Amino acid sequence: MSLGRRGFLQFCLGAGAGITFSPLPWKLMDDSAIWTQNWPWTPVPPGGEVSIEKTACTLCPGGCGITVRKVKDRAIKIEGMKGHPINDGGVCLLGMSALYKLYGGARIKGPLKRAGKRGEGKWEQIPWNAAIAEISKELNQKRQDGLSHTVASMTGTDRGTVPQLFKRLLAAYGSPNVFTAPSLQDSERLALKLMQGDYASAGYDLENARYVVSFGASIIDGWGSPVRAFRAHTRWAEKAAEGAKLVQVEACLSNTAAKADTWLTIKPGTEAALALGLAHVIIKEKSYNKAFIRDYCLGFEDWQDSGGTVHKGFKQSVLKEYSPDAVSRITGVPADRISVIAREFAQAKGALAVWGRGKGTRPMAVHDIMAIHALNALVANINKPGGVTVLPDVTTVPWPSLVQDDIAKSGTKQPRVDRAGTDAFPLSESLFDQLPKLIKGGTGEYPLSVLLVHGANPYYTEHDRTAVAEALDRIPFIVSFSSRMDETANHADLILPNHTSLERYEDVPTPISSSLPVMSLSRPVVSPQCDTRHVGDSLIAIAKSLDGSVAESFPWDDYESLLKATLGDKWSVLEKEGYWKDEGYTPADWSQAFRNASGKFEFLATTLLAGAKSAKDCLPQYSRAKLKGEEFMYPLILIPCESMRLADGPVANSPLMTKTVADTVLKNDDLCVEVNPKTAIAHGLTDERMALLSTPKGKAKVKIHLFDGIQPGVVAIPTGLGHTAYDDYLKGKGVNSNDLIGMIEDEASGLDIAWGSRASLKSI
Ligand code: SF4
């Protein structure tokens, strides 16, 4: 058998992905554990009773169930929970890292008050009652000054009980400024609201899908629950003889691209154009589901407005603008390949188009998601086995009514400082990415005075990080609830450390991409190791210490009683099994599925019509991104490259994860960027030599790694490195890609949809 270059790359990368889920690393770890027992300084767990506890992993939105093996009160091993509806026994490297988060470095051992300049790392330890009193004094003063609306919170997600507690605290106190870290969910929910009338997340029946076109989603490398997606991929491979297939659309040869049946290399940021090119072929050849389009869709055909003007529908718009030749010029994908993929997609049973670049954590343009989702509508694979569905939230017991005094009522009526929900961005609920621009330019409605941060690390994770840091530094009082000394905690004025994931209760709502409603319960499996408190308990204590009617909205003694009360009869199931799933869930049939005013799947988003410049703006479409910088100065395109071995969200890498990173990604402390050999020749770059990477947002010294699996003219930079906080295992290693990539604003939502940047590379 001959093995060509592509085959070789597939083999190597596929093996890498496979190893992540295979028993091999665990065996090696067992071996090294046995070996290291001979080191005198290795901590040896005490002998004693062994027990196994069920809990849920909260280190990413994947929602996996895990089991923790313990000796007495010492957690010693984490494994995937067998039978869990999401991961059924699998666990990823990050999930295993919970032990390190519990026992490893950079833990904040008790409440801290800043003693030096911001970011200097000088702290004074204070007791809990003093920490609560500090916040209480600050917040009460703002209420007295009529400035309650200048207090804001930022959480990593808006799902689950803790984010709801933050929302409630701000509402009872008197501020509308509740932010969540920007995520794919923000844009996905908007797209689904526009097309299907539900502001909700998409669920994919990956297990039963048979022809999956992934528009940049790293299906087996960190997207959704990677453990679940990897299993689904194994099933597709088993069904290959029946035509099961994964088509990966991506600019570089990621693990997912390497394992895919077809890898379509594409110019970065043009995925929506490709989706519309596929739609063109399907429509032109009349291979779409005509009954579904006729009976359950709106805006496919041309239509007439109340003034009698005729507007193009989706069909004519796509036929006119997105021929394979035109799309080939935009995307770089050959026209004949576009036609072949379109035909296969239209003919397959269980054809599924998936959005969400990389791990699917960053927002995308709303119209891009609409373009990709339009493919699911053309083949009518909505609310069917192997298709996409809009998942309902798991029902819980309603919370007691919110009590608001006059200050709270007046404060919450103020406009949000990020302009979400205003005339500027009427559809969006939270636009944290707008803040740097607004705060720095002084164009916000008013300055913020206090920021409470939980489960987010904006000083590290947001694009144009320098601008974010400058803007946040202008907020006089920042409170962090982090359990580890991340970049944001390091810039805070006060830290009220939360328990780590293995020390606390947490409800884990239906994870991203799940095909049925699921809830899991993260539980304290060991006693708190430090003088930390559950963030929910801290919030309840803060609420009870505030003036006015704030405390009346918080009748619970502590977070655990709140969780028990609101989870109702699900609590006992969650306690026993570790998860609850809606066994009988079946997606609504098409006559009930679409909950917008038309009751139909809307290719033409009628909600947008009133404020749109033209009717065309209400259809799925591709818009060329306006990248900053001149092409002659920045002739290359820089794209972020995500990996399962590098956590790049609010939870950072453990030393174990960093140890698995290849030398071609991080060599000593130098970050390597992937460059095609043709690019290297054109720009005078040499393999393994240092170069200066410049973008309109910053510069960084990087090492060149020549790689055939990246398009000429494109440079891939790994994400998840370049920390300036945490411990010696993370700090100062590599470069933070967010320093080099600036914001690209989505006109429809105001979200930052940046997928890359113009760049240059010069040998040094
Ligand atoms: S995929 Fe996410 S939730 Fe699942 S084990 Fe890994 S980190 Fe935990």
Side-chain angles (χ1 to χ4, degrees), residues 180-194:
T180 50
S183 75
L184 178 68
Q185 301 296 294
D186 296 322
S187 36
E188 174 177 291
R189 288 187 291 205
L190 279 183
L192 292 173
K193 171 78 182 154
L194 293 174

Side-chain angles (χ1 to χ4, degrees), residues 51-55 66-70 523-526:
S51 61
I52 292 177
E53 304 252 10
K54 289 178 182 173
T55 182
I66 53 174
T67 54
V68 181
R69 183 185 291 262
K70 288 174 26 182
R523 287 185 287 196
V525 295
V526 295

Side-chain angles (χ1 to χ4, degrees), residues 21 56-66 78-80 86-87 90-98 222-228 508 511 644 651 657:
F21 297 99
C57 177
T58 56
L59 299 184
C60 93
C64 299
I66 53 174
I78 291 177
E79 292 176 296
I86 300 297
N87 58 314
V91 69
C92 76
L93 283 172
L94 181 58
M96 289 177 60
S97 302
W223 178 87
S225 163
V227 185
R228 171 183 172 230
V508 182
M644 269 190 74
V651 175
M657 292 174 75

Side-chain angles (χ1 to χ4, degrees), residues 83-88 207 228 516 518 579-581:
H84 191 278
I86 300 297
N87 58 314
D88 189 18
E207 290 76 6
R228 171 183 172 230
L516 78 167
V518 176
Y579 65 89
W580 172 93
K581 66 176 175 179

Side-chain angles (χ1 to χ4, degrees), residues 227-552:
V227 185
R228 171 183 172 230
F230 191 84
R231 286 179 188 283
H233 176 261
T234 306
R235 286 183 69 168
W236 303 333
E238 286 164 4
K239 300 277 179 189
E242 297 167 28
K245 195 166 182 176
L246 170 63
V247 177
Q248 183 69 7
V249 178
E250 205 166 1
C252 63
L253 184 59
S254 64
N255 277 343
T256 305
K259 292 289 279 180
D261 302 279
T262 300
W263 171 38
L264 281 187
T265 56
I266 188 168
K267 288 182 191 165
T270 63
E271 295 89 350
L274 179 66
L276 295 167
L278 299 178
H280 175 105
V281 176
I282 293 169
I283 292 171
K284 191 170 179 196
E285 297 183 357
K286 297 188 172 52
S287 50
Y288 53 89
N289 187 314
K290 295 170 197 67
F292 177 75
I293 298 291
R294 183 191 62 228
D295 297 339
Y296 299 102
C297 295
L298 181 146
F300 185 74
E301 302 290 352
D302 294 354
W303 58 284
Q304 201 172 28
D305 65 23
S306 53
T309 307
V310 175
H311 301 275
K312 280 197 175 58
F314 181 70
K315 181 170 89 175
Q316 287 306 325
S317 163
V318 163
L319 288 176
K320 179 162 181 276
E321 294 183 43
Y322 298 100
S323 68
D325 285 337
V327 168
S328 180
R329 285 191 291 277
I330 298 169
T331 61
V333 179
D336 57 345
R337 294 200 84 188
I338 295 172
S339 298
V340 168
I341 299 294
R343 285 177 196 129
E344 288 180 353
F345 187 83
Q347 284 159 17
K349 282 207 170 75
L352 182 61
V354 174
W355 56 82
R357 294 189 187 99
K359 293 180 186 173
T361 49
R362 294 266 181 199
M364 289 175 67
V366 171
H367 284 85
D368 281 15
I369 296 179
M370 288 170 68
I372 296 166
H373 193 33
L375 287 171
N376 293 319
L378 287 176
V379 295
N381 201 9
I382 295 173
N383 287 14
K384 283 172 55 181
V388 60
T389 185
V390 165
L391 281 184
D393 285 337
V394 173
T395 51
T396 51
V397 177
W399 291 33
S401 302
L402 180 76
V403 180
Q404 283 185 308
D405 56 19
D406 288 345
I407 295 176
K409 282 181 191 156
S410 135
T412 49
K413 279 190 192 131
Q414 295 288 323
R416 285 174 62 98
V417 77
D418 62 353
R419 301 188 294 162
T422 66
D423 288 348
F425 303 110
L427 300 171
S428 296
E429 296 203 321
S430 170
L431 290 172
F432 183 82
D433 287 323
Q434 292 283 334
L435 287 189
K437 188 173 71 180
L438 298 173
I439 292 177
K440 208 173 153 199
T443 50
E445 299 282 345
Y446 44 82
L448 291 176
S449 62
V450 177
L451 180 65
L452 313 175
V453 186
H454 163 67
N457 185 9
Y459 274 86
Y460 176 79
T461 56
E462 302 311 300
H463 287 148
D464 201 359
R465 198 178 58 93
T466 310
V468 172
E470 278 176 23
L472 295 184
D473 280 345
R474 293 185 189 207
I475 300 175
F477 192 60
I478 296 179
V479 180
S480 164
F481 295 88
S482 178
S483 55
R484 302 186 73 214
M485 191 57 81
D486 59 31
E487 283 79 0
T488 304
N490 200 36
H491 280 80
D493 300 278
L494 194 64
I495 305 176
L496 277 68
N498 193 7
H499 297 324
T500 68
S501 58
L502 297 181
E503 298 166 314
R504 67 175 191 245
Y505 276 112
E506 199 87 72
D507 52 323
V508 182
T510 307
I512 289 165
S513 84
S514 170
S515 58
L516 78 167
V518 176
M519 180 178 276
S520 302
L521 185 66
S522 173
R523 287 185 287 196
V525 295
V526 295
S527 314
Q529 304 294 301
C530 304
D531 182 21
T532 53
R533 263 193 203 176
H534 195 295
V535 61
D537 288 332
S538 294
L539 290 186
I540 291 170
I542 292 167
K544 287 184 189 293
S545 74
L546 293 175
D547 295 342
S549 65
V550 182
E552 292 174 44

